[in-house]
Amino acid sequence: MNAAANANLFSRLFDGLADTSRLAIETSDGTRISYADLIAQSGRVANVIVSRGVKPGDRVAAQTEKSVEALVLYLATVRAGAVFLPLNTAYTLNELEYFIGDAEPSLIVCDPSNADGISKLAAKSGAKVET
């Protein structure tokens, strides 16, 4: 998918919503998140990843637990015109080395407890690491 089509994906997901105040997600602890909240949060995160040098067509790798925050990161990546590369949290550093080396992401988002090992891998491909 090219960058223009990828950026358009965000528009295709949200532009047709008649009522963005509608509930999009309710978490197990009762937190309620509207579509407007998702749009705003993904905009803030998109600004952060762009400020970290992510350009349309770049890859953003994410080794994160499944969560609302991970969904927001996905939406932000698409919104920025980048390509989201989810990485299983069970991957070892050897497995991550393959995926990161092959995909050459410009940014890798990971759990802080994994940042040291992932930073070493990221340095080989010139990627930045965010926790």
Side-chain angles (χ1 to χ4, degrees):
M1 179 181 291
N2 66 38
N6 198 24
N8 188 38
L9 177 58
F10 185 85
S11 295
R12 294 177 84 185
L13 290 170
F14 291 99
D15 286 354
L17 290 174
D19 181 9
T20 60
S21 66
R22 283 189 11 229
L23 179 66
I25 300 169
E26 184 169 355
T27 64
S28 59
D29 69 0
T31 302
R32 297 172 59 86
I33 302 165
S34 70
Y35 285 99
D37 295 332
L38 284 177
I39 292 167
Q41 289 176 25
S42 67
R44 287 191 293 275
V45 174
N47 286 335
V48 170
I49 65 175
V50 167
S51 75
R52 301 299 192 271
V54 173
K55 298 178 295 305
D58 282 357
R59 284 160 299 287
V60 174
Q63 188 186 37
T64 59
E65 295 293 332
K66 294 176 185 172
S67 64
V68 172
E69 294 80 11
L71 175 62
V72 169
L73 176 60
Y74 165 74
L75 293 171
T77 301
V78 170
R79 190 169 187 171
V83 178
F84 188 76
L85 173 64
L87 298 169
N88 191 313
T89 56
Y91 286 157
T92 65
L93 284 177
N94 283 340
E95 292 168 319
L96 289 171
E97 182 174 27
Y98 168 77
F99 287 109
I100 291 169
D102 186 57
E104 297 179 339
S106 62
L107 180 67
I108 303 168
V109 179
C110 67
D111 184 280
S113 65
N114 298 330
D116 286 341
I118 290 176
S119 292
K120 291 173 186 163
L121 299 176
K124 293 178 184 179
S125 65
K128 295 178 182 170
V129 175
E130 288 292 325
T131 57

